[in-house]
Amino acid sequence: MKAKIQEATELLRSSKHTTVFSGAGVSVESGIPTFRGEAGLWEKYDPSLLQIQYFHQYPERSWKLIKELFYDVIERARPNPAHIAVARMEEMGIVKAVITQNIDNLHQEAGSKIVYEFHGTVKRLVCTKCEKYYDSGTIDLSRLPPTCLYCKQSPVSEQGSLLKPDFVFFGEPIPDEARASSFAEANLADTFLVIGTSGEVMPACHIPVLAKQHGAKIIEINPNPSSFSSAITDIFLQGQAGYVMSEIQKDL
Ligand code: OAD
Ligand code: ZN
């Protein structure tokens, strides 16, 4: 392992443009569960509960689940050594961007500046009618579902329109800007640092593959092999993100 970490460190030191590509695994050590695997959310919950049609059909039921699975858990979570190492590497000029499939805002909390949130974020809510955005911190989630203050005040609706978390539900498109910026990274990067993702969800999983096709070297950190590991990964660092990233950053 030591030799492999050293190999990765050398590659990163000589890289002109490293892009981080992260998934749920980078936040496990912050106390946030993954989706797949033994302790994953999909072992306990049916993914169809996060379909956009279900949300519109049963907003109250849907919001209760979303609050329990995401808001309550993420509220308590703090960045771990992996998020912090990624942010330091950006300060050092090695990491140029982070593409994350996570909605937990922990890369930003750790200090990362250029973060493309491929699946959106829990930090923002959006009105399903007038499309006004709200910072989730300003919305009371003790009464569900939350509604739009603006729509409530206007004569358009007495009730107020339904607010939706601004993350990507199953059946929704990837936000345009995050999508475009993330795919652009596949052309720009000479090194991709893939941390804690199973690589099973499209279209996100295409990005490291495209980067590889454009000549980028792929470093991967995961305690378990992913769908990338034997297909595109050049250096596989089998371990937990917090430990491996701290070791790498220490040596840079
Ligand atoms: P997954 O749950 O599919 O995969 C999590 C990965 O993290 C697995 O490969 C684990 O082996 C790895 N892992 C576990 N503990 C780790 C640790 N301490 N350090 C590093 N890695 C660790 O999560 P994602 O790949 O992020 O989409 O899933 C992608 C998308 O599927 C999510 O963004 C979500 C879900 O449906 C949406 O919500 C749209
Ligand atoms: Zn509204």
Side-chain angles (χ1 to χ4, degrees):
M1 183 66 153
K2 263 231 128 32
K4 277 195 166 184
I5 288 180
Q6 203 175 347
E7 198 188 334
T9 309
E10 272 160 27
L11 184 59
L12 289 164
R13 230 186 268 135
S14 64
S15 152
K16 296 205 162 37
H17 189 123
T18 291
T19 300
V20 169
F21 181 83
S22 69
V26 79
S27 296
V28 162
E29 290 153 84
S30 296
I32 301 177
T34 59
F35 295 93
R36 292 165 191 81
E38 270 168 39
L41 291 183
W42 301 154
E43 280 297 309
K44 269 171 77 186
Y45 300 91
D46 181 350
S48 68
L49 297 173
L50 288 170
Q51 286 279 356
I52 189 64
Q53 296 92 321
Y54 182 83
F55 177 75
H56 285 292
Q57 204 172 355
Y58 305 107
E60 190 181 339
R61 222 188 283 173
S62 190
W63 254 109
K64 280 190 177 147
L65 182 69
I66 288 164
K67 181 170 180 293
E68 186 187 316
L69 293 188
F70 302 115
Y71 285 88
D72 292 348
V73 176
I74 291 171
E75 196 176 50
R76 289 193 293 267
R78 295 291 166 266
N80 69 53
H83 299 105
I84 292 165
V86 168
R88 294 269 150 77
M89 285 164 65
E90 183 180 348
E91 270 168 29
M92 293 168 78
I94 294 171
V95 166
K96 302 295 186 198
V98 177
I99 302 166
T100 188
Q101 297 162 89
N102 301 344
I103 58 175
D104 57 27
N105 200 49
L106 290 180
H107 282 297
Q108 291 93 328
E109 268 185 52
S112 288
K113 299 278 184 279
I114 311 284
V115 182
Y116 304 128
E117 294 174 307
F118 204 78
H119 290 154
T121 176
V122 294
K123 280 282 151 193
R124 249 184 348 256
L125 305 184
V126 59
C127 174
T128 53
K129 187 159 197 175
C130 72
E131 295 183 354
K132 184 175 160 52
Y133 289 109
Y134 292 87
D135 181 327
S136 60
T138 66
I139 299 293
D140 177 13
L141 294 183
S142 64
R143 284 180 36 209
L144 298 173
T147 53
C148 177
L149 299 169
Y150 179 78
C151 286
K152 204 180 274 180
Q153 279 158 14
S154 78
V156 179
S157 151
E158 282 299 307
Q159 301 288 309
S161 310
L162 176 66
L163 294 181
K164 186 187 98 64
D166 197 21
F167 60 67
V168 176
F169 284 60
F170 290 118
E172 283 196 303
I174 305 301
D176 282 343
E177 242 184 85
R179 186 192 176 96
S181 304
S182 300
F183 276 95
E185 288 297 319
N187 292 328
L188 295 169
D190 56 29
T191 310
F192 245 62
L193 182 52
V194 176
I195 313 175
T197 175
S198 60
E200 286 180 22
V201 173
M202 288 200 302
C205 64
H206 293 320
I207 300 169
V209 176
L210 279 174
K212 174 82 172 184
Q213 284 167 2
H214 278 96
K217 292 275 186 222
I218 313 290
I219 302 170
E220 184 182 10
I221 302 172
N222 199 313
N224 310 298
S226 73
S227 62
F228 298 126
S229 312
S230 58
I232 60 166
T233 300
D234 295 291
I235 305 175
F236 184 55
L237 303 170
Q238 189 154 16
Q240 305 220 327
Y243 169 73
V244 178
M245 284 302 293
S246 310
E247 289 295 301
I248 288 178
Q249 198 243 316
K250 227 168 43 191
D251 283 359
L252 279 171

